[in-house]
């Protein structure tokens, strides 16, 4: 399974989340995970909230 698919599955099952939780789940560095999340947001597969937790935005699947 590709990293993007793993990220999408994690967000689908857990709901809105921050990059650090995603990084722990997929066992990657925070910087790489944040870049992947930004890429998914550019592709409109995930959305970024205006709400921030500890300076990090929440990422979620459209419709959550």
């Amino acid at each position: 399974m590709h990293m993007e698919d793993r990220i999408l599955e994690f967000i689908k099952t857990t709901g809105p989340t921050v990059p650090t939780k995603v990084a722990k789940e997929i066992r990657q560095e925070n910087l790489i995970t944040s870049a992947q999340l930004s890429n998914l947001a550019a592709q409109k597969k995930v959305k970024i909230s205006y709400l921030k937790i500890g300076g990090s935005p929440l990422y979620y699947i459209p419709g959550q």
Side-chain angles (χ1 to χ4, degrees), residues 2-60:
H2 293 289
M3 190 182 323
E4 288 182 356
D5 295 331
R6 289 172 48 201
I7 292 170
L8 289 171
E9 278 301 313
F10 178 71
I11 296 174
K12 283 179 188 174
T13 57
T14 62
T17 188
V18 292
T20 54
K21 287 185 180 181
V22 178
K24 280 185 182 178
E25 177 66 24
I26 65 170
R27 294 184 179 104
Q28 288 291 326
E29 303 258 343
N30 287 340
L31 185 62
I32 292 172
T33 303
S34 293
Q36 287 290 330
L37 286 165
S38 293
N39 186 29
L40 288 169
Q43 295 174 20
K44 306 220 187 282
K45 292 183 179 180
V46 298
K47 291 195 172 207
I48 304 171
S49 73
Y50 293 105
L51 176 69
K52 293 189 178 190
I53 297 177
S56 296
L58 288 172
Y59 289 86
Y60 62 97

